[in-house]
Amino acid sequence: MLKKPLRLVNAAIQFNLFKKRNLIKVGHRITHKCNYKCSYCSLWGDNIKELDTSQILDLVDQIADMGCVIYAISGGEPLIRKDLPEILKRIKKRGMMAKVATNGSLVTKRIDEICDYVDMMSFSFDTMNADVPEEVGIIKILDDTVTEGIKAAVAKVPYVSLNVVLTRISTKEIDNIVEYGSTLGIKTFTFFPLITHFNYKSLDELEKSYDEIYGGIENYRNAILKIRELRDKGYPVTMSNMVLDAMYTFKMPKMKCISGYLSCGISPDGRLGTCYEFFKECTGSFHDKSFKELWEELGNNLSVVDNCKGCLLHCYFEPNVIFSANPRPLLSYGKRYIRSLLK
């Protein structure tokens, strides 16, 4: 029982003291195919050669052999792949925690196939409002199908979370989303903006882009204040002050990034990147190289991480907070996480 926590603690210590690389988490987009065609996402339009079932099972085995603790699967929409139960079963058999990110539309149909092999399932939608203005584009709506999927997952999966993309509409729905999601049994809530990386725009350009996206930057910033307010009232919003401050001010705190050091991203065709943002630094693919070879190759190209200006993606930002061993946000985050488990 203590093996996984000790592995995480050991990796954090070695990373902070010696910047040593120890693989503890992978994020694997097993497909870019999706039954939704959201306007802000371009993945569903990719024509990419995915790893087949036998290749992914081999990949899982090689990753497990390196001591990985968490195997997170996403897409696209991962439940589109018929072999998902087989993949998840192998992840669990090899002793890793399995997490699945989904838009929720196919969960009710497939929950019985996968529930025995999933430790965490995260749902994503963009609004509770069925009447989406044309200028907002196509986004994910919390309809009856997704609601039933959440209920099915809550009944059969140990930990269910909700990720919400902040759009011009959802910034006005924070209260309703958190309150309604809590009645469904959601354990934790996280929010992130449409622009998540700081590598391509100056601060002035970012503020101008946000002003256009959200119909006024004050609408976006008011949403951040509302998220903090709900968290402080005791709702299970597992977002640290550090990430909320960065989302509000567009100023990144000084902290180490674990991407490429303790974690990596894997594309559907088996390429590695330090994170989902960067797949260019490792040109090889699991189609023709072992995972260990790809991991070593990635280690020779970590300047992209060290020079990165930061991002607001919760799945990267908060682990960076935790593994940078900053005690104040770590204690605060831990307290809220434990509270969510007790509900």
Side-chain angles (χ1 to χ4, degrees):
M1 179 178 288
L2 292 176
K3 186 176 180 180
K4 291 176 184 176
L6 288 175
R7 167 74 173 160
L8 295 174
V9 171
N10 180 59
I13 292 172
Q14 293 193 53
F15 172 65
N16 279 282
L17 294 181
F18 312 111
K19 224 171 184 181
K20 185 176 180 181
R21 301 177 73 221
N22 285 287
L23 183 67
I24 59 171
K25 178 188 176 182
V26 298
H28 187 181
R29 285 178 174 165
I30 61 173
T31 184
H32 280 171
K33 296 174 184 176
C34 188
N35 54 337
Y36 286 3
K37 303 293 184 286
C38 297
S39 299
Y40 58 77
C41 178
S42 61
L43 294 181
W44 52 266
D46 286 351
N47 184 15
I48 195 168
K49 183 181 179 182
E50 300 174 2
L51 299 178
D52 61 29
T53 305
S54 62
Q55 288 174 312
I56 293 182
L57 296 180
D58 185 20
L59 176 64
V60 169
D61 286 338
Q62 292 187 34
I63 289 172
D65 289 341
M66 292 184 63
C68 185
V69 177
I70 302 170
Y71 201 116
I73 287 179
S74 63
E77 174 48 51
L79 272 74
I80 283 180
R81 286 197 58 141
K82 295 180 180 180
D83 57 0
L84 182 61
E86 190 175 357
I87 295 168
L88 291 169
K89 185 176 181 180
R90 180 63 65 88
I91 292 170
K92 292 300 297 178
K93 182 179 179 181
R94 293 305 310 270
M96 293 180 285
M97 294 178 61
K99 179 179 179 180
V100 176
T102 175
N103 61 36
S105 60
L106 302 175
V107 171
T108 302
K109 294 179 180 179
R110 305 205 63 188
I111 189 65
D112 289 335
E113 299 177 65
I114 64 176
C115 62
D116 291 339
Y117 316 118
V118 179
D119 297 290
M120 303 175 68
M121 181 173 286
S122 62
F123 287 75
S124 175
F125 68 85
D126 309 324
T127 181
M128 295 177 63
N129 188 349
D131 298 320
V132 179
E134 185 176 345
E135 64 268 19
V136 175
I138 301 172
I139 58 177
K140 298 188 292 292
I141 299 171
L142 178 64
D143 56 19
D144 292 342
T145 300
V146 177
T147 299
E148 291 305 312
I150 292 174
K151 291 178 180 178
V154 167
K156 297 187 177 183
V157 174
Y159 196 95
V160 178
S161 63
L162 182 61
N163 301 319
V164 180
V165 177
L166 291 174
T167 64
R168 185 177 296 199
I169 297 179
S170 62
T171 51
K172 302 173 184 178
E173 301 177 319
I174 306 299
D175 282 302
N176 291 339
I177 289 171
V178 173
E179 291 171 2
Y180 182 64
S182 295
T183 67
L184 295 178
I186 296 293
K187 290 285 188 181
T188 57
F189 297 82
T190 57
F191 299 83
F192 54 92
L194 284 170
I195 300 176
T196 56
H197 284 81
F198 291 169
N199 292 298
Y200 312 115
K201 294 178 180 289
S202 67
L203 182 59
D204 289 341
E205 289 174 326
L206 272 173
E207 290 187 347
K208 183 179 179 181
S209 295
Y210 274 65
D211 200 57
E212 294 172 351
I213 290 170
Y214 294 105
I217 197 168
E218 69 278 1
N219 294 328
Y220 166 78
R221 285 186 164 141
N222 286 337
I224 305 304
L225 295 177
K226 175 57 68 175
I227 292 167
R228 190 192 297 266
E229 176 188 327
L230 290 170
R231 186 204 65 183
D232 292 344
K233 284 182 178 179
Y235 284 97
V237 178
T238 49
M239 301 178 72
S240 67
N241 284 332
M242 288 178 71
V243 72
L244 291 173
D245 288 345
M247 289 173 69
Y248 190 91
T249 65
F250 306 127
K251 295 179 181 178
M252 291 296 296
K254 291 183 179 180
M255 62 180 176
K256 300 174 183 176
C257 182
I258 68 170
S259 297
Y261 290 93
L262 304 183
S263 66
C264 70
I266 306 174
S267 65
D269 60 351
R271 290 176 294 122
L272 265 64
T274 54
C275 61
Y276 287 145
E277 181 66 11
F278 301 111
F279 278 111
K280 296 179 181 178
E281 63 272 19
C282 188
T283 57
S285 166
F286 194 70
H287 283 294
D288 47 46
K289 292 185 178 181
S290 70
F291 181 82
K292 187 175 181 179
E293 289 174 320
L294 294 173
W295 175 251
E296 291 174 352
E297 186 177 346
L298 190 65
N300 295 324
N301 295 276
L302 293 178
S303 60
V304 67
V305 176
D306 299 329
N307 296 324
C308 180
K309 296 179 181 179
C311 76
L312 295 174
L313 280 173
H314 180 269
C315 58
Y316 295 119
F317 192 108
E318 300 290 20
N320 291 342
V321 171
I322 293 171
F323 284 95
S324 292
N326 190 321
R328 186 175 178 181
L330 184 57
L331 290 173
S332 177
Y333 186 86
K335 182 174 68 174
R336 290 193 295 274
Y337 180 75
I338 292 172
R339 184 191 297 161
S340 73
L341 292 175
L342 296 177
K343 285 193 173 184

